[in-house]
Amino acid sequence: ELKVEQNPLFLSMQEGKNYTIYCNYSTTSDRLYWYRQDPGKSLESLFVLLSNGAVKQEGRLMASLDTKARLSTLHITAAVHDLSATYFCAGRWPSNYQLIWGAGTKLIIKP
Amino acid sequence: ETGVTQSPTHLIKTRGQQVTLRCSSQSGHNTVSWYQQALGQGPQFIFQYYREEENGRGNFPPRFSGLQFPNYSSELNVNALELDDSALYLCASGWDISSYEQYFGPGTRLTVT
């Protein structure tokens, strides 16, 4: 069974700082997703990581995947207030294409 | 804007009632998945439909059922509503079961009193 764990679950940081959110998964997943969710809103796709060593960057966010360690990271560089949101990672279980989600990391960036 | 719409936006129901939530996917999207997201938690997979057949199901009881129609719309039906069914219900559609991208709708907020 695929399980996905994120940490930290809550993160408060100052603008301009760097930080990393970690996503561990328990068994083989054929792809790893990162999503953003603003309060009361739906899910916005950020990255899809398909293979070991994959790295994707968009603005101040960079995601990477290490399939051997079963670990994905979402790195935030020089955070700005607009990045405040809840970030989810999700792994896709190859046997039935089901997405298994982490609990989310609530990120608050203070001016 | 993903092109996926859901209705209604908000809904209040009483325990024991039945509810139908609707999702309209982009033309050509053959798969639709439904998720339940309780407040402060990650989404939980309910089920997926592919070309109008159920293609996978999460750990939800049979009172959660669905339909997918040829016109790329779908429904989630929940019978005998319980207080714990209060959540944001999200649908997500995609081109095919193996395609890596899912497009999420805005969600329906269901409150059961």
Side-chain angles (χ1 to χ4, degrees), chain A:
Chain A
E1 183 181 351
L2 177 61
K3 293 183 180 179
V4 178
E5 292 185 355
Q6 280 182 246
N7 70 84
L9 298 182
F10 180 81
L11 180 57
S12 178
M13 54 194 290
Q14 296 290 329
E15 277 191 326
K17 300 291 187 182
N18 304 330
Y19 211 81
T20 300
I21 300 171
Y22 298 89
C23 177
N24 291 90
Y25 55 98
S26 61
T27 187
T28 302
S29 173
D30 68 347
R31 53 201 57 172
L32 199 292
Y33 297 79
W34 285 96
Y35 285 88
R36 168 182 172 148
Q37 188 175 40
D38 292 299
K41 303 294 185 180
S42 188
L43 293 153
E44 175 189 354
S45 177
L46 296 175
F47 303 107
V48 182
L49 304 168
L50 302 177
S51 59
N52 188 45
V55 177
K56 291 194 174 181
Q57 184 164 3
E58 182 72 35
R60 301 176 187 273
L61 300 178
M62 182 175 71
S64 65
L65 179 63
D66 180 344
T67 57
K68 295 179 181 178
R70 294 178 181 163
L71 171 68
S72 181
T73 61
L74 179 67
H75 187 74
I76 303 148
T77 302
V80 292
H81 178 68
D82 286 352
L83 291 178
S84 296
T86 298
Y87 292 85
F88 291 95
C89 65
R92 196 177 84 154
W93 200 6
S95 64
N96 63 5
Y97 305 112
Q98 179 181 149
L99 284 191
I100 306 298
W101 297 74
T105 297
K106 185 172 183 178
L107 176 63
I108 295 176
I109 300 170
K110 301 176 181 178

Side-chain angles (χ1 to χ4, degrees), chain B residues 79-101:
Chain B
N79 293 322
L81 283 167
E82 301 177 0
L83 296 180
D84 285 350
D85 295 334
S86 295
L88 180 68
Y89 288 85
L90 297 159
C91 73
S93 68
W95 297 104
D96 208 306
I97 55 174
S98 60
S99 62
Y100 64 83
E101 192 61 83

Side-chain angles (χ1 to χ4, degrees), chain B residues 46-107:
Chain B
I46 302 175
F47 44 57
Q48 180 188 69
Y49 277 77
Y50 175 62
R51 293 187 174 176
E52 301 161 50
E53 297 284 336
E54 186 177 296
N55 187 55
R57 190 176 185 91
N59 190 27
F60 280 82
R63 60 188 185 86
F64 286 78
S65 63
L67 288 170
Q68 185 186 25
F69 303 103
N71 66 352
Y72 306 108
S73 65
S74 62
E75 291 179 354
L76 164 65
N77 299 289
V78 187
N79 293 322
L81 283 167
E82 301 177 0
L83 296 180
D84 285 350
D85 295 334
S86 295
L88 180 68
Y89 288 85
L90 297 159
C91 73
S93 68
W95 297 104
D96 208 306
I97 55 174
S98 60
S99 62
Y100 64 83
E101 192 61 83
Q102 288 192 96
Y103 300 87
F104 279 85

